[in-house]
Amino acid sequence: MKRILFLLLLLMGSLYLSAQNQPAVQTVQPKIMVIPYTKQGEDIRTVLENDVNKRIALTRIKEAFDSRGFTTVDFTARLKVANDNAIFTSDNQTDLKSLIIQNSGADIYVEAETNVLLSETGNSVKIIVTGYEISTGNSLANTVGESGKFYTDDIGKLASKAIESCAEGFLNTMQAKFTDIVENGRSVIVNFGFDLGSAYLMSSEVGNQGLLLSDELELWMEEHAYKNNYHIQGTTDTQMIFDDVRIPLKDPNTGNNYNPNKFALEIFKFMRGLGLQISRDIKGNTIYITIK
């Protein structure tokens, strides 16, 4: 009996030590920048300078991310640097927000729209927040936070209450979506088409093996899509659309950020290897390849 007890204790000890030696699983968290919502044609600098409540709301949202261990990028600081360096002129100020976003180094930007509601029965603040993946423009999470009505003129405090009411669920949803991107890749659309004067069709034989162009494209996509994950929406003689191709978040060879531009470059090199001339255009998460 003592021998059996000793063996059980030995086994439990071994299992405990084995569990202790297992590497901890770390959740990859995105770098986030919070920006204000602006209407078409609005100058984002004027919006922030003229509305202290929007500045407070942005600060509170950023603090919510910071308190949960996320790395954040200060949009206001980036905006100040851009102004000080005179990077943006009146000719391109409508692109100010998108240019700062693209050059921020962040993975996700969160857009916040603040609405202040004043009434005789109490004041309140409603905040609409939406998270977008910067590389593709895909929406990751959205929610609405409300402060409730209070007899106070402290709009900043109401903005804080509005954020507190929705931050937890919003952050959890966005983290889950980002974790899925890390594990399974981000989704892009690849649209292959032809110039009007092109001598090629999808049924044209190309390459050393004399395969149809459509077959060459699918074989390449099968090999280069992240974890072989892709889907063909449809193929005709003049067009082939891959409506869900997964690409990695990080380059598996270098560890550097990977994006649709780099994937389009790989397609360009492949097509050149087939002896084909192409042009490429990237809009959001869609890559347009035109065969000449």
Side-chain angles (χ1 to χ4, degrees), residues 113-213:
E113 180 180 0
T114 306
N115 294 314
V116 179
L117 307 172
L118 306 176
S119 71
E120 295 180 355
T121 59
N123 300 329
S124 64
V125 168
K126 178 185 291 186
I127 293 181
I128 304 170
V129 285
T130 307
Y132 297 93
E133 187 189 2
I134 287 178
S135 178
T136 63
N138 290 339
S139 175
L140 299 177
N142 58 80
T143 190
V144 177
E146 299 188 55
S147 64
K149 287 188 176 182
F150 292 89
Y151 289 104
T152 178
D153 293 326
D154 191 339
I155 303 302
K157 185 176 290 186
L158 294 178
S160 296
K161 284 186 173 292
I163 290 300
E164 290 169 4
S165 73
C166 66
E168 193 68 33
F170 177 79
L171 291 170
N172 289 341
T173 300
M174 198 169 64
Q175 179 65 69
K177 292 285 185 68
F178 189 78
T179 300
D180 179 68
I181 291 172
V182 172
E183 294 177 353
N184 300 307
R186 54 167 56 111
S187 176
V188 297
I189 300 167
V190 186
N191 189 326
F192 290 92
F194 299 87
D195 266 345
L196 288 177
S198 176
Y200 294 94
L201 295 169
M202 283 299 168
S203 57
S204 299
E205 295 182 0
V206 295
N208 296 329
Q209 301 181 70
L211 298 177
L212 301 185
L213 175 56

Side-chain angles (χ1 to χ4, degrees), residues 3 14 25 59 81 91 122 151 204 239 272 275-276:
R3 180 177 176 80
S14 298
V25 177
T59 300
V81 169
D91 295 331
Y151 289 104
S204 299
Q239 192 175 40
R272 186 171 60 181
L276 301 175

